[in-house]
Amino acid sequence: QVQLVESGGGLVQAGGSLRLSCAASGRTFSRYTMGWFRQGSGQEREFVATISWSGGGTYYADSVKGRFTISRDNAKNTVYLQMNSLKPEDTAVYYCAAGGVGWKVTSWGAYDYWGQGTQVTVSS
């Protein structure tokens, strides 16, 4: 079993930054691909970023390229999402996910484990 807990969300003005964290426990973490997804009010859950188990490969949605950075620290069983130059359209609940899938897999249904989410609100 894997448990995932997100933190770091909050309210920020447009152009600001936040760093989200996802702490994993319960099972070997380092061999899982990790992903970040988000879901705005009334919207479908969408892909944000993924990272390979080694941390050597990352992949981003076009909407966040150049602004967001995903990273992981396997010694701490934690994955991060650094979000810069935030826009109001980034407002959503952000979820982290883990799965034994290829590191470029962008469909949320392919992942095995999910956190409860953390709210990010960007004001204009």
Side-chain angles (χ1 to χ4, degrees):
Q1 304 297 317
V2 174
Q3 294 80 44
L4 304 173
V5 180
E6 302 96 334
S7 62
L11 175 65
V12 64
Q13 294 187 45
S17 298
L18 286 172
R19 189 176 79 155
L20 306 183
S21 298
C22 176
S25 63
R27 192 175 178 88
T28 301
F29 169 78
S30 62
R31 297 292 178 172
Y32 285 100
T33 293
M34 299 295 297
W36 285 97
F37 295 77
R38 66 188 182 185
Q39 187 168 20
S41 180
Q43 306 295 314
E44 296 183 349
R45 189 171 298 184
E46 66 177 0
F47 161 74
V48 176
T50 61
I51 187 167
S52 65
W53 65 264
S54 69
T58 58
Y59 190 66
Y60 299 92
D62 288 341
S63 60
V64 306
K65 285 181 180 177
R67 300 188 299 120
F68 291 10
T69 302
I70 187 171
S71 62
R72 66 192 296 166
D73 185 340
N74 290 341
K76 297 181 179 179
N77 294 326
T78 302
V79 63
Y80 305 96
L81 185 68
Q82 178 67 46
M83 305 185 294
N84 298 325
S85 301
L86 283 162
K87 305 174 181 179
E89 52 262 44
D90 295 318
T91 296
V93 177
Y94 283 71
Y95 299 89
C96 66
V101 299
W103 63 272
K104 288 187 176 181
V105 174
T106 62
S107 58
W108 65 267
Y111 289 80
D112 301 310
Y113 305 101
W114 292 87
Q116 294 297 309
T118 185
Q119 177 71 49
V120 172
T121 302
V122 184
S123 64
S124 59

